[in-house]
Amino acid sequence: MGNVGRHYYQWRYGGASPQSPPRWQLPAMPEWVPAGQEIDIPDLDATYRLHISEANVDTGAVTALAEIDIARFNEPQPGKLYLQVVPAAYGYFTLDALRVAGQPVDPEWIDGGFILGVPLPAGLATPFTVAVDFRLSIDQEASGWGGTSLDSGVLRLGYWFPIISDQHVFSDTLDPSQSRAANYQVTVDAASDVIVAHTGVETGQSSLGGGRVRHEMAATDVRDFALVLSRRFAVQSTTLSDGTTALYYSHPASPGGAASAAFAAAEETVSAMSGLLGPYPYPTLSIVDVGPRMPGGLEFPGLIYINGAYAPFDRLIVHEVAHQWLYAVIGNRTLVDGWIDEGGAEFFERGVPTGFTEVPSPPAEGYQFWLDADATELRAAQGRQWYYSIYEQGARFYYQMAWQMGWDAFWDAWRDVYRRYSFGIVTPVEMLSVFQSHSPVDLRPLYAEYFRYPWIRDLLPNP
Ligand SMILES: [Zn+2]
């Protein structure tokens, strides 16, 4: 069961601890898939074995091997896999070797290596392994937002390894990564004074001699595996009321008192969202101050990046913790349907601390984009219109749904989304179908105010 927490099983199985938990196999809703609502990230069962043999927190040099064991495809096996390599977009990535089932392969190099097209030979049978030897030369990423960056002795390793994805654009407004849930086994060899914050749980630690230590970690059903390394981290921990272990990683420049404020906001959010949607499924929640140049925060499964000096700090924590439900557990095509996760996190950021009364007002110039704008369209955003149009307009949309259908039906719909799409990916047609199916009023006129989807008229109201 890996890192799927006991309170999750308490809820899911009523206290039983099955040896082989059933997979989430609920009917897709709706059964039809309109154009543009396909999920191109291949549906497969994979275990990532990631080995970092060098991670230097002074120079940013990382040497690693990613072995992706593909057990089976849950759909016809594609002729090509697309590996997403976010560090290539920052110019940090060097590919040393790529092998499919032991055979060297020359990948198709797309967008400077941000996407690697890996051909799969016809007749290649599962299980097989895609192995990538690579190095990273990580520097201080210019915008401050970089998932992968070296900032004041803090080495951020988010989106740091080749991961199975689809062909998509890089974005500096929406999160640049989209992937499916998988299992992870990770080892990091580093100097013995380096503290390692990570997704999942630590399963072992051993001395390598010469002042070096191997950290062994694992995670189940996570769609990414983030690490943050620093020899300047101090770690505080607490237990949230649902049993989750919350950890706060601070560095010498972090403001005092931030840990207790972060724990209070995390408790409020985990408690609220567990009740409203469904339980927080991971045993740990790591809150990591990744350095003074981070303008806000970033979400990874079971781990969030924050800047301890950000104000209002509690809102930042609520937003990033809310992403554990909207992005980590309930996945979406983040570069295509940013309204689901970013609009949702903004809705909960404003709603959880205020009893769902704080509604963002439109900016004076109005919204530049429809709520369904994707990362490519958002490249034309002026000023902070990417934020207004997707985050704030998304929050308004969720509020308007709640007002029209009533709060009880609204929360029933959210629990249904959680039940159907946990550890999967939900598309807009599925989201809007679930809310429509729980609504006593026809939501299609509201949908048409926010979205250009041509299939809205086909979402018939609940009889
Ligand atoms: Zn967000």
Side-chain angles (χ1 to χ4, degrees):
M1 278 174 259
N3 72 347
V4 178
R6 60 180 168 73
H7 44 287
Y8 171 77
Y9 277 91
Q10 178 76 26
W11 169 81
R12 182 74 175 85
Y13 303 112
S17 295
Q19 290 302 309
S20 305
R23 294 189 62 82
W24 290 77
Q25 282 181 340
L26 294 156
M29 180 176 177
E31 298 297 333
W32 49 278
V33 181
Q37 299 298 296
E38 308 86 358
I39 299 168
D40 293 331
I41 308 167
D43 185 1
L44 49 81
D45 292 349
T47 297
Y48 286 73
R49 289 179 290 131
L50 310 176
H51 315 275
I52 292 181
S53 51
E54 185 201 3
N56 190 316
V57 297
D58 301 313
T59 65
V62 173
T63 305
L65 166 64
E67 294 173 289
I68 310 171
D69 297 331
I70 298 176
R72 74 185 64 79
F73 286 87
N74 301 316
E75 60 184 20
Q77 182 167 320
K80 191 183 280 187
L81 286 178
Y82 292 99
L83 300 180
Q84 166 199 287
V85 189
V86 177
Y90 304 130
Y92 298 158
F93 178 74
T94 301
L95 176 65
D96 286 328
L98 197 157
R99 296 175 301 281
V100 175
Q103 299 302 310
V105 168
D106 256 340
E108 182 187 353
W109 204 263
I110 302 165
D111 281 350
F114 172 57
I115 303 287
L116 299 177
V118 180
L120 299 181
L124 176 65
T126 55
F128 64 87
T129 299
V130 177
V132 189
D133 282 293
F134 65 99
R135 282 167 291 145
L136 305 175
S137 301
I138 300 170
D139 209 337
Q140 189 181 302
E141 187 275 330
S143 74
W145 286 108
T148 320
S149 183
L150 180 61
D151 184 356
S152 308
V154 176
L155 182 61
R156 305 179 195 165
L157 295 174
Y159 322 123
W160 59 278
F161 58 93
I163 193 169
I164 295 171
S165 185
D166 58 5
Q167 236 187 319
H168 62 79
V169 300
F170 179 78
S171 171
D172 46 23
T173 53
L174 300 176
D175 292 316
S177 172
Q178 53 191 25
S179 51
R180 284 192 188 264
N183 298 328
Y184 284 81
Q185 297 164 11
V186 180
T187 60
V188 175
D189 299 347
S192 57
D193 60 346
V194 169
I195 310 277
V196 180
H198 55 86
T199 292
V201 293
E202 182 156 287
T203 53
Q205 205 181 100
S206 54
S207 171
L208 299 171
R212 287 164 60 77
V213 167
R214 170 165 297 172
H215 301 261
E216 297 171 28
M217 292 151 282
T220 304
D221 265 339
V222 290
R223 62 189 75 248
D224 208 334
F225 196 104
L227 299 154
V228 191
L229 279 61
S230 180
R231 50 167 64 95
R232 305 167 74 195
F233 275 150
V235 190
Q236 290 166 266
S237 73
T238 191
T239 304
L240 304 182
S241 58
D242 72 340
T244 301
T245 300
L247 300 155
Y248 190 86
Y249 293 79
S250 57
H251 53 74
S254 301
S260 55
F263 289 151
E267 168 66 38
E268 181 182 30
T269 312
V270 169
S271 169
M273 297 201 60
S274 297
L276 294 170
L277 275 70
Y280 179 76
Y282 310 123
T284 59
L285 172 62
S286 291
I287 304 168
V288 187
D289 188 336
V290 295
R293 289 180 188 82
M294 164 53 73
L298 272 184
E299 66 279 10
F300 298 94
L303 184 150
I304 58 175
Y305 288 5
I306 53 98
N307 177 346
Y310 182 92
F313 184 64
D314 57 333
R315 292 297 183 94
L316 175 65
I317 301 295
V318 175
H319 182 102
E320 304 306 337
V321 173
H323 273 307
Q324 295 303 317
W325 281 262
L326 289 167
Y327 150 74
V329 177
I330 303 163
N332 65 301
R333 307 177 301 181
T334 46
L335 286 138
V336 184
D337 310 313
W339 68 269
I340 294 179
D341 61 312
E342 290 301 354
E346 185 78 16
F347 169 72
F348 285 101
E349 173 191 333
R350 290 166 181 273
V352 167
T354 66
F356 295 94
T357 57
E358 182 184 300
V359 187
S361 301
E365 73 270 26
Y367 298 119
Q368 186 184 346
F369 298 97
W370 289 80
L371 190 50
D372 55 53
D374 66 10
T376 303
E377 195 175 357
L378 290 169
R379 284 177 170 168
Q382 289 152 9
R384 282 171 60 77
Q385 269 290 344
W386 56 273
Y387 170 73
Y388 298 139
S389 294
I390 302 301
Y391 291 58
E392 291 196 346
Q393 187 178 211
R396 283 185 70 83
F397 169 68
Y398 285 113
Y399 269 110
Q400 286 205 296
M401 276 207 295
W403 296 335
Q404 289 205 7
M405 62 196 290
W407 285 96
D408 287 348
F410 179 75
W411 295 124
D412 283 346
W414 267 119
R415 279 187 285 275
D416 206 0
V417 169
Y418 182 99
R419 186 178 66 87
R420 289 173 182 276
Y421 300 106
S422 287
F423 310 116
I425 291 178
V426 66
T427 59
V429 69
E430 292 165 331
M431 276 289 279
L432 298 184
S433 293
V434 171
F435 280 87
Q436 174 81 307
S437 73
H438 283 270
S439 177
V441 299
D442 187 356
L443 292 172
R444 290 178 299 174
L446 176 67
Y447 293 168
E449 287 177 33
Y450 284 87
F451 302 106
R452 295 163 291 187
Y453 303 128
W455 40 261
I456 285 174
R457 64 179 178 276
D458 300 321
L459 298 176
L460 299 176
N462 221 6

